[in-house]
C-alpha cells in the first residue's frame, strides 16, 4: 500500500457508532489516508460539501438518514461520481440490489476485515481517479483543492 501513503486521499467515515468510526479510522489512517469522521448522514453531507473527499464509507443503519439515503443525497446534491461504500451487518440480497441501483461502489459486511476495507477503498480510488502513484491527490469539479 505504499502508493497510497504518497497521496493524501480523504476517506469520510460515517457511522453513528463512535467505536465503529474509530475502528475504520484506525484501519485507513496508517495506510496514509486522511480520515474525516461523521456521526450521521446529515453531518456527512455537510462535510462532502465543504471538504475534499475521495471515498465515503457509510454505515447502513443510522438514525434519520440511512447510509443508502445518504448515498443518494450525496450523488444528487454533491457528486454523482464520488465512490460510496456501504458497511452493514445486514448484507441481504435486497439491500445489495438497492445499493447497486443507488450506484454504491460496494457493500462491506460487518464485522469488517481490515484487508477487505483497504482493498475496497483502494479499488474505489483507482476506479474513480486512476492509479494512486503521483504525489498529489486529484482535483476535480467534485473536490475542492486546499492550499496551505
Amino acid at each position: 500500500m505504499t502508493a497510497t501513503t504518497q497521496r493524501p486521499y480523504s476517506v469520510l467515515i460515517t457511522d453513528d457508532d463512535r467505536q465503529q468510526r474509530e475502528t475504520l479510522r484506525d484501519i485507513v489512517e496508517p495506510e496514509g489516508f486522511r480520515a474525516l469522521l461523521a456521526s450521521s448522514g446529515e453531518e456527512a453531507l455537510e462535510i462532502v460539501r465543504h471538504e475534499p473527499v475521495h471515498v465515503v464509507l457509510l454505515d447502513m443503519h443510522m438514525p434519520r438518514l440511512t447510509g443508502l439515503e445518504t448515498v443518494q443525497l450525496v450523488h444528487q446534491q454533491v457528486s454523482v461520481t464520488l465512490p460510496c461504500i456501504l458497511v452493514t451487518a445486514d448484507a441481504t440480497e435486497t439491500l445489495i440490489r438497492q445499493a447497486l441501483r443507488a450506484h454504491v461502489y460496494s457493500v462491506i459486511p460487518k464485522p469488517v476485515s481490515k484487508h477487505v476495507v483497504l482493498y475496497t477503498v483502494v479499488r474505489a480510488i483507482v476506479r474513480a481517479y486512476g492509479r494512486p502513484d503521483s504525489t498529489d491527490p486529484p482535483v476535480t469539479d467534485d473536490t475542492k483543492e486546499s492550499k496551505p
Side-chain angles (χ1 to χ4, degrees), residues 85-104:
I85 300 165
L86 280 181
V87 182
T88 183
D90 185 33
T92 64
E93 285 184 39
T94 301
L95 174 63
I96 291 169
R97 277 195 297 274
Q98 291 172 335
L100 289 174
R101 281 195 300 273
H103 303 286
V104 167

Side-chain angles (χ1 to χ4, degrees), residues 67-108:
L68 199 52
E69 291 167 336
T70 304
V71 168
Q72 292 167 333
L73 290 170
V74 165
H75 287 164
Q76 288 171 4
Q77 298 176 9
V78 183
S79 169
V80 72
T81 61
L82 182 61
C84 296
I85 300 165
L86 280 181
V87 182
T88 183
D90 185 33
T92 64
E93 285 184 39
T94 301
L95 174 63
I96 291 169
R97 277 195 297 274
Q98 291 172 335
L100 289 174
R101 281 195 300 273
H103 303 286
V104 167
Y105 177 77
S106 186
V107 177
I108 297 176

Side-chain angles (χ1 to χ4, degrees), residues 11-15 24-25 28 36 38 44 53 55-59 83-87 108 117 120-121:
V11 178
L12 173 57
I13 298 165
T14 307
D15 199 308
L24 289 167
R25 181 197 61 209
V28 300
L36 302 167
V53 173
V55 177
V56 183
L57 285 168
L58 304 106
D59 179 34
C84 296
I85 300 165
L86 280 181
V87 182
I108 297 176
V117 170
T120 306
V121 167

